[in-house]
Amino acid sequence: DGGITQSPKYLFRKEGQNVTLSCEQNLNHDAMYWYRQDPGQGLRLIYYSQIVNDFQKGDIAEGYSVSREKKESFPLTVTSAQKNPTAFYLCASKGGRFTGELFFGEGSRLTVL
Amino acid sequence: AQTVTQSQPEMSVQEAETVTLSCTYDTSENNYYLFWYKQPPSRQMILVIRQEAYKQQNATENRFSVNFQKAAKSFSLKISDSQLGDTAMYFCAFMKGNRDDKIIFGKGTRLHILP
């Protein structure tokens, strides 16, 4: 079945460690996104990519990094520079430019101890 | 910069009633897209309804409809004959109509449908 796969679902890390969240899609979508969800904050955009080898910062990019080497993959690295990394992270992809519909993964819950 | 505001953090209604969720946005763009997404307790986000700003007619999807007021920059979601399965977080979202694929969301409204 076509869709977005995020892994891992749950991740625990010690403070100061970098961690990479995986996001893979087989929908042949050009655009991919990473959002962070915190209680009472809604979804905040971290990074998005409109095409392979290109990505743009969202509203809260500090402390995060991404790559887009393949159309199917858009991994997110949470670096030690991110001051409050514990959160729920959602990856999404979008098909045609004018449809606007995002397809979301099931999310990754990162807890930094 | 565009912003999306949802002023109702939480709402509760009885099953079968009609409920309206509010969303306002700020933009200087003339062409854009607006969306309502639903996030049930499973946390799997799904699109509920979409509105193109250039269309005057309000979008409708079964029990879900919008009231799009472009001049007021308002985009409310009406759920008719609410069902227990409508219990979820609802997010309003905005996308510009140009080549930028950036999509931003509001803070959400938590909706409880009571039996």
Side-chain angles (χ1 to χ4, degrees):
Chain A
D1 282 0
I4 310 276
T5 301
Q6 287 187 242
S7 62
K9 277 189 103 167
Y10 301 96
L11 188 59
F12 295 87
R13 279 294 182 266
K14 290 183 179 179
E15 200 171 318
Q17 289 182 329
N18 290 358
V19 59
T20 297
L21 306 180
S22 170
C23 179
E24 303 278 332
Q25 55 102 354
N26 60 5
L27 300 167
N28 199 32
H29 286 170
D30 286 318
M32 295 188 74
Y33 303 76
W34 275 105
Y35 291 92
R36 170 177 171 148
Q37 185 174 13
D38 298 282
Q41 294 294 323
L43 272 67
R44 291 182 291 170
L45 182 63
I46 304 172
Y47 271 98
Y48 66 109
S49 168
Q50 298 181 179
I51 199 167
V52 174
N53 292 324
D54 187 47
F55 47 83
Q56 288 79 40
K57 291 182 179 179
D59 299 319
I60 57 164
E62 185 175 350
Y64 300 96
S65 66
V66 293
S67 62
R68 188 84 187 276
E69 297 176 2
K70 298 187 300 181
K71 189 175 186 177
E72 305 79 22
S73 178
F74 191 42
L76 173 74
T77 296
V78 185
T79 74
S80 56
Q82 168 51 233
K83 295 188 186 332
N84 186 19
T86 293
F88 186 66
Y89 292 88
L90 280 165
C91 179
S93 70
K94 183 170 75 68
R97 178 173 300 283
F98 301 109
T99 68
E101 180 175 1
L102 291 174
F103 292 81
F104 284 85
E106 294 184 332
S108 294
R109 177 77 190 172
L110 172 63
T111 302
V112 175
L113 306 171
Chain B
Q2 287 73 33
T3 59
V4 177
T5 302
Q6 294 180 248
S7 58
Q8 304 150 311
E10 196 159 2
M11 300 180 71
S12 296
V13 296
Q14 294 293 138
E15 193 176 7
E17 288 185 350
T18 294
V19 60
T20 299
L21 281 58
S22 300
C23 173
T24 58
Y25 58 93
D26 188 26
T27 183
S28 58
E29 303 288 325
N30 187 51
N31 189 26
Y32 48 88
Y33 300 80
L34 296 162
F35 313 88
W36 279 98
Y37 281 87
K38 170 184 177 180
Q39 186 182 42
S42 67
R43 305 200 85 166
Q44 181 64 57
M45 295 272 285
I46 56 172
L47 178 68
V48 175
I49 200 165
R50 173 178 62 229
Q51 176 80 41
E52 291 90 343
Y54 63 87
K55 289 187 177 179
Q56 292 187 339
Q57 188 171 6
N58 288 326
T60 299
E61 290 286 344
N62 300 315
R63 297 182 296 108
F64 299 87
S65 61
V66 299
N67 182 5
F68 173 49
Q69 301 289 329
K70 191 172 184 179
K73 296 180 182 175
S74 171
F75 183 61
S76 60
L77 175 69
K78 185 172 84 171
I79 305 175
S80 303
D81 185 26
S82 57
Q83 301 174 358
L84 296 178
D86 295 332
T87 292
M89 282 288 289
Y90 287 83
F91 293 98
C92 182
F94 172 97
M95 183 180 79
K96 287 194 286 189
N98 59 11
R99 295 177 61 80
D100 189 353
D101 283 317
K102 184 177 183 179
I103 299 177
I104 60 170
F105 286 76
K107 292 187 176 182
T109 295
R110 185 175 298 280
L111 176 65
H112 302 275
I113 308 299
L114 307 173

